């Protein structure tokens, strides 16, 4: 079993050529074993990929005695720390989806497929899987040799450990996904005792198989053939988009470096070592220009910079640059691009709407339904009575004693709302009330009235909301 660390020892140019001779561009028929080297962009890639720890650890964060973020689909409640979002407020989800869609467009317009290269779960999980593979099976040459070797006890042992770890990561991926939709500690207790919901077992199984196959076997083929973003992103780039790019004017004509070239080299800076291809997780050659397989992970920049350091040439033969910059045209500043202003405006409006919605969520919501048959009833005392059904939505996670008030006429009398209504948490509680107004006090056949509900929360805060309705009566008597 080989467990080599990522080496930082200097490598000779002859050794680079020997490795390049054994490399080929992937056509989907063989597994790519990308070379892993340290560097600035590799460090950035790991740092940004660590954002996914929120996915794995987030369900275990507690808030006020319960799970901080919980998407409780059976009860149609979505808890975000101290805020509870119910289906009635799902318009915010549309704004959230719009925000992330435009954010993806902005990222692509500015710097290409940075989502694919640094954040995409397929890229991150594949990187973790190949890191495990390298720790167990060795560098690319050793892995290719092991692939071609006949099955042996040693090979079986290494492959068993590798696939076991891959499956374990797949299980944790699926389990973490389910934990966002149910209480995580309860899930741990019920899942392994056979008491969890059947949907939980099916979801974990699907995520396990999907993660194992996509990250362990399909890898870059998922980006080539299954992901539509690789095709869409082509129409989202323009001449000012900065992406990892090979500077052909500086690098060409490329030629291998010979010992006799020292001080007399007349060709370009590219020494055709193919290290940019060797480190590419999708196997593309950045020197051929932008391709749909390039996920802009910038690992080729690390590889090329290290080679430039070895041969004493300046870094940046492969770098983040725009087409205008490479062709020597004047480049426009970020804020001089009209499309960016449009994107920023939409992003700002979406974010404002989401924040406004979250901060303006009322603990109580009220709907008032007026009885239609009959519209009004003449009482024995000469007053006119209207019947209303109030739908009280309690958006908090505590029961509330709701008091009902009505206003809109000096002689208005509310009947049936004397005792407070017990509004259950996270649900709708109906209440039937009657409003009476003396007939002689009516000024029109219809006049507005306002229902007001209020309840004191456990924190001492008074929750209040109002809803306007209408009071219907006969035509007023003329004097």
């Amino acid at each position: 079993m080989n467990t080599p660390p990522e080496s930082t020892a200097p490598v000779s140019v002859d050794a680079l050529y020997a490795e390049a001779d054994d490399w080929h561009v992937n056509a989907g028929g063989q597994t790519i074993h990308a070379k892993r080297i340290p560097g600035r962009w590799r460090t950035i890639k790991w740092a940004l990929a660590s954002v996914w720890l929120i996915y794995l650890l987030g369900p275990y964060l507690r808030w006020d005695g319960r799970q901080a973020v919980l998407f409780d689909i059976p009860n149609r409640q979505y808890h975000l720390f101290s805020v509870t979002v119910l289906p009635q407020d799902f318009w915010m989800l549309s704004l959230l989806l719009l925000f992330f869609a435009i954010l993806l467009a902005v990222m692509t317009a500015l710097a290409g497929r940075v989502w694919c290269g640094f954040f995409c779960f397929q890229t991150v999980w594949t990187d973790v899987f190949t890191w495990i593979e390298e720790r167990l099976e060795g560098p690319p040459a050793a892995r290719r040799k092991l692939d071609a070797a006949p099955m042996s006890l040693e090979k079986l042992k290494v492959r068993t450990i590798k696939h076991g770890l891959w499956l374990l990561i797949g299980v944790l991926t699926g389990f973490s996904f389910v934990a966002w939709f149910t209480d995580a500690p309860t899930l741990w207790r019920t899942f392994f005792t056979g008491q969890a919901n059947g949907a939980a077992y099916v979801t974990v199984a699907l995520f396990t198989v999907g993660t194992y196959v996509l990250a362990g076997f399909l890898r870059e083929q998922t980006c080539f053939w299954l992901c539509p973003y690789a095709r869409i992103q082509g129409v989202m780039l323009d001449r000012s988009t900065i992406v990892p790019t090979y500077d052909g004017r500086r690098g060409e004509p490329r030629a291998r470096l010979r010992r006799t070239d020292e001080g007399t080299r007349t060709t370009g800076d590219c020494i055709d070592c193919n290290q940019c291809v060797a480190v590419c997780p999708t196997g593309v050659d950045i020197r051929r220009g932008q391709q749909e397989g390039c996920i802009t992970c910038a690992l080729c920049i690390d590889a090329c910079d290290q080679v430039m350091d070895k041969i004493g040439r300046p870094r940046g033969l492969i770098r983040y640059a725009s087409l205008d910059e490479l062709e020597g045209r004047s480049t426009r500043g970020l804020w001089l691009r009209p499309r960016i202003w449009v994107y920023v405006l939409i992003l700002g409006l979406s974010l404002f709407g989401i924040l406004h919605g979250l901060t303006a969520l009322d603990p109580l919501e009220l709907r008032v339904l007026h009885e239609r048959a009959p519209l009004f009833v003449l009482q024995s005392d000469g007053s006119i009575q209207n019947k209303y059904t109030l739908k009280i939505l309690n958006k908090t996670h505590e029961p509330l004693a709701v008091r009902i008030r009505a206003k809109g006429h000096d002689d208005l009398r509310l009947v049936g709302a004397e005792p407070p209504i017990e509004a259950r948490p996270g649900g709708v509680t109906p209440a039937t009330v009657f409003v009476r107004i003396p007939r002689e006090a009516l000024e029109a056949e219809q006049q507005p009235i306002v229902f007001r509900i209020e309840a004191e929360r456990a924190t001492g805060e008074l929750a209040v909301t109002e809803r306007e309705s209408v009071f219907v009566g006969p035509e007023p008597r003329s004097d």
Side-chain angles (χ1 to χ4, degrees), residues 288-347:
R288 297 182 180 179
Q290 280 299 303
Q291 302 156 66
E292 65 180 12
C294 177
I295 60 175
T296 67
C297 62
L299 297 180
C300 54
I301 298 179
D302 281 340
C304 188
D305 283 348
Q306 291 185 20
V307 173
M308 292 298 103
D309 290 343
K310 291 180 174 65
I311 66 174
R313 300 297 298 162
R315 292 187 170 196
L317 178 59
I318 300 176
R319 63 184 185 274
Y320 265 103
S322 67
L323 182 59
D324 281 342
E325 178 187 341
L326 288 179
E327 294 181 352
R329 294 187 174 91
S330 61
T331 57
R332 291 185 297 172
L334 175 65
W335 301 111
L336 297 179
R337 299 166 61 183
R339 183 167 61 165
I340 299 302
W341 281 102
V342 175
Y343 285 152
V344 170
L345 177 62
I346 299 175
L347 279 175

Side-chain angles (χ1 to χ4, degrees), residues 25-36:
V25 176
N26 174 54
Q30 294 182 347
T31 301
I32 285 184
H33 293 295
K35 182 179 180 180
R36 304 178 72 89

Side-chain angles (χ1 to χ4, degrees), residues 114-166:
V114 289
W115 161 259
C116 298
F118 297 94
F119 297 102
C120 176
F121 49 86
Q122 169 66 18
T123 302
V124 172
W125 263 246
T126 298
D127 212 14
V128 173
F129 275 39
T130 54
W131 178 81
I132 292 173
E133 188 173 63
E134 178 164 359
R135 302 299 294 183
L136 293 171
E137 298 181 357
R143 299 206 297 274
R144 288 192 289 270
K145 183 177 180 181
L146 186 64
D147 288 343
M151 183 57 68
S152 63
L153 186 61
E154 181 64 20
K155 181 176 180 178
L156 178 62
K157 182 177 70 173
V158 171
R159 291 291 167 89
T160 300
I161 296 173
K162 180 181 77 172
H163 289 283
L165 291 174
W166 285 1

Side-chain angles (χ1 to χ4, degrees), residues 132 154 207 239 316 322 332 365 380 412:
I132 292 173
E154 181 64 20
F207 267 81
R239 300 183 62 88
S322 67
R332 291 185 297 172
E365 186 174 300
S380 58
L412 178 150

Side-chain angles (χ1 to χ4, degrees), residues 113 222-236 292:
R113 295 171 62 182
T222 302
C223 305
F224 280 137
W225 313 115
L226 299 182
C227 179
Y229 183 52
R231 275 73 178 170
I232 296 174
Q233 60 102 18
V235 300
M236 302 172 74
E292 65 180 12

Side-chain angles (χ1 to χ4, degrees), residues 59 61-63 65-70 79 179-185:
L61 180 63
R62 312 301 291 181
W63 183 271
R66 58 179 173 83
Q67 191 164 314
V69 180
L70 176 63
H79 304 286
W180 288 95
F181 297 89
T182 186
D183 184 67

Side-chain angles (χ1 to χ4, degrees), residues 17 20 25 245-258 261 265-277 284-289 291 304 308 311 317-318:
Y17 284 134
V25 176
T245 309
Y246 169 69
D247 189 346
R249 293 192 302 174
R250 173 184 157 187
E252 301 296 326
R254 71 186 75 159
R256 295 200 171 197
L257 184 67
R258 297 176 175 83
D261 288 344
R265 182 177 173 86
T266 58
T267 54
D269 282 353
C270 179
I271 62 173
D272 207 18
C273 63
N274 268 20
Q275 289 304 293
C276 54
V277 183
V284 302
D285 189 341
I286 192 66
R287 297 170 298 179
R288 297 182 180 179
Q291 302 156 66
C304 188
M308 292 298 103
I311 66 174
L317 178 59
I318 300 176

